[in-house]
Amino acid sequence: MSKQQARARQTYQLALDAAGTEFARHGFADASLLRMAQRMNLTKGALYGHFSSKGEIAAALVALLDELLPHPGTPPTPTDPLTQLRDIALTVARAVETDIQINAALRLAVDGALTGEAAPPFLEELRRHATQLLETSTPAPPAQPAVLADLLVVVLVGAYYTAPTLQRSGMSTRVQAIWDALAPHPPRTP
């Protein structure tokens, strides 16, 4: 890779970081390309050298969410399905806490659904994966697979929107606590 290509790639990543901060803080409608460019000490025109629109930047961020989903053909882990769902939820929560691009991507995906657009593809794919995992599990899950798949999405979205900071600090701890509260407990002995 040439120095020029490396510099362009670095600028592209800096643009996604700046956009991530802007979208996480303001959402799509109130995000400003000018503020994104200022965060990078660039002009808006320089930012347009990498992206043609605010929508294109948002789409690049939202596409990152797909990397968090288990890929088709990935061998199932030997744990029970509810533990696998918890692990998926924790993977997403930890990524939101540690990566501003993923943080913004989740906000953009959910905000799009709240404005009347179709359900976010990431959350639909997450729900589909969870339902399929539960439908093929033995023994059968403690509730209908679709209900548990919806629970996974609700836990993630709820923990995201009720986290106390822009960085969503503590989101993974809260997701873990929610799953622990929902997990079956061994019977108590008198």
Side-chain angles (χ1 to χ4, degrees):
M1 180 184 304
S2 74
K3 284 186 179 185
Q4 186 177 4
Q5 288 172 324
R7 191 171 53 244
R9 184 71 186 144
Q10 182 181 18
T11 303
Y12 179 85
Q13 286 303 316
L14 289 172
L16 288 180
D17 284 343
T21 300
E22 183 69 11
F23 286 127
R25 181 171 289 146
H26 300 286
F28 183 83
D30 294 328
S32 161
L33 288 173
L34 179 60
R35 285 191 301 254
M36 288 177 209
Q38 288 172 337
R39 272 193 183 84
M40 298 172 55
N41 294 320
L42 294 175
T43 65
K44 254 173 69 171
L47 186 58
Y48 278 119
H50 291 277
F51 299 98
S52 64
S53 67
K54 184 167 73 168
E56 186 178 317
I57 299 170
L61 288 169
V62 171
L64 297 172
L65 292 172
D66 293 337
E67 297 172 14
L68 299 176
L69 293 171
H71 297 298
T74 302
T77 58
T79 59
D80 68 275
L82 291 180
T83 300
Q84 290 180 53
L85 290 185
R86 184 205 65 210
D87 292 347
I88 292 168
L90 287 172
T91 296
V92 173
R94 288 180 186 127
V96 165
E97 288 176 320
T98 60
D99 186 334
I100 193 64
Q101 294 178 19
I102 298 295
N103 182 327
L106 187 58
R107 175 165 183 177
L108 288 165
V110 175
D111 283 357
L114 294 175
T115 60
E117 295 177 22
F122 168 73
L123 295 178
E124 283 299 313
E125 183 60 23
L126 182 62
R127 182 182 289 120
R128 187 201 61 72
H129 174 78
T131 301
Q132 183 179 13
L133 174 73
L134 293 163
E135 286 174 344
T136 60
S137 67
T138 305
Q144 291 180 351
V147 171
L148 292 174
D150 284 341
L151 179 63
L152 171 65
V153 172
V154 167
V155 167
L156 283 174
V157 173
Y160 183 88
Y161 277 102
T162 59
T165 65
L166 172 65
Q167 293 78 21
R168 310 300 182 214
S169 301
M171 183 175 161
S172 62
T173 302
R174 294 175 67 224
V175 167
Q176 177 70 54
I178 292 166
W179 280 103
D180 288 349
L182 297 172
H185 297 284
R188 295 182 191 196
T189 54

